């Protein structure tokens, strides 16, 4: 299968992003032809006023990907703005996309209500899904690995492709969503791990930072004193154990928490050890990438060239179908 997916560069990735999207990408790259890109133009749709961090975020994201094992020998890795054909197809698709399709997009309404730091009544923000459709349709991708929140965008992509094909010629491929199933990752405060809640553990955190965040993490609130028995099922520390510790440790914690045999401090130390063990190789890889900035440029240059070959071909067909 040919697969395309993108991520916005909006800061450092955390464990939730890793388990949610990256782990899935890593598995897909072994068996499929994958195109993974940094959606820097999409980031502008909600951050067009303050762009001074954008370059750093793009690099940080690429470092997180490569350090996590996204392999440029298997997958094509590139930056959206390096492949201007995305903008060309966006313009052409925008001509055939009714505004009503975009206005009824749930993400559009929701984000307009929730994001207050900038005025989202822009053409670019309304057209966000058209750009995303162009990202996908240019590669004739059959599948797009995304989270649930992206399903409306995928549906719009299919509708736009259908409209194009029926107006002109059957050139574009309707992609399907590959829904990423992943464990629900809680943050250090027990809510869903999210950049905006400040409760995340980042791939780029150092070992002392990770240990500190775990040490101060909330536990079963009913377990006030050391000899109170706890309930691991409602404790966010235990959700980390289930993800990161081996089965023996998980069983042991499960029993010893309920009988107050183990204290929360020791329990958190165990989970810190498990997480540190898993992140260590990522930290090593991050360090060597940071020491070698040229490596990132080489990867994205090669990716841009590979992407260009595919999109040039699609755009030729599109122009021909539209009689341009
Ligand atoms: N909208 C996606 C998100 O916010 C990012 C994205 C842009 C994307 N273009 C894409 C995802 C194309 C999949 C395919 O997560
Ligand atoms: Fe949570 Fe572990 Fe404390 Fe039990 S012992 S409440 S699982 S931190």
């Amino acid at each position: 299968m040919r697969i395309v997916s993108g991520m916005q560069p909006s800061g450092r990735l955390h464990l939730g992003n890793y388990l949610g999207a990256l782990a899935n990408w890593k598995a897909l790259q072994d068996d499929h032809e994958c195109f993974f890109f940094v959606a820097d133009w999409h980031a502008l749709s909600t951050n067009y006023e303050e762009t001074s961090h954008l370059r750093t975020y793009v690099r940080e994201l690429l470092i997180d990907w490569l350090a996590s094992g996204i392999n440029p020998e298997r997958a094509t890795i590139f930056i959206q703005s390096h492949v201007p054909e995305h903008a060309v197809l966006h313009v052409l698709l925008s001509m055939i996309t009714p505004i009503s399709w975009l206005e009824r997009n749930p993400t559009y309404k929701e984000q307009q209500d929730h994001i207050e730091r900038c005025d989202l009544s822009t053409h670019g923000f309304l057209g966000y899904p058209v750009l995303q459709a162009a990202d996908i349709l240019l590669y004739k991708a059959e599948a797009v690995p995304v989270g649930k929140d992206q399903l409306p965008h995928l549906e719009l992509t299919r509708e736009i492709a259908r409209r194009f094909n029926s107006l002109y010629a059957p050139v574009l491929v309707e992609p399907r969503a590959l829904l990423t199933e992943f464990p629900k990752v809680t943050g250090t405060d027990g809510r869903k791990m999210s950049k905006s809640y400040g409760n995340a553990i980042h791939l780029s955190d150092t070992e002392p930072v990770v240990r500190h965040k775990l040490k101060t993490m909330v536990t079963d609130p009913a377990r006030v004193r050391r000899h109170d028995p706890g309930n691991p099922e409602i404790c966010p520390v235990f959700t980390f154990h289930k993800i990161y510790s081996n089965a023996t440790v998980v069983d042991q914690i499960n029993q010893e928490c309920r009988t107050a045999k183990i204290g929360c401090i020791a329990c958190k130390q165990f989970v810190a050890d498990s997480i540190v063990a898993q992140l260590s190789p990522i930290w090593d890889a991050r360090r060597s990438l940071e020491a070698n900035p040229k490596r990132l440029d080489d990867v994205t240059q090669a990716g841009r060239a590979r992407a260009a070959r595919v999109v040039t071909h699609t755009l030729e067909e599109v122009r021909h179908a539209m009689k341009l």
Side-chain angles (χ1 to χ4, degrees), residues 4-8 37 39 42 80 128 131-132 135-136 144-146 149-150 153-154:
V4 170
S5 198
M7 266 185 220
Q8 283 195 39
F37 67 94
H42 277 109
Q80 184 184 37
Y128 183 110
L131 182 56
Q132 184 160 346
D135 296 338
I136 298 166
V144 183
V146 282
D149 63 310
Q150 294 295 310
H153 291 160
L154 255 284

Side-chain angles (χ1 to χ4, degrees), residues 173-186:
V173 173
E174 279 182 49
R176 66 187 172 85
L178 278 185
L179 254 198
T180 318
E181 283 304 326
F182 58 94
K184 240 185 86 191
V185 186
T186 40

Side-chain angles (χ1 to χ4, degrees), residues 25 72 125 189 201 312:
W25 286 15
F125 185 68
D189 60 357
I201 295 175
T312 308

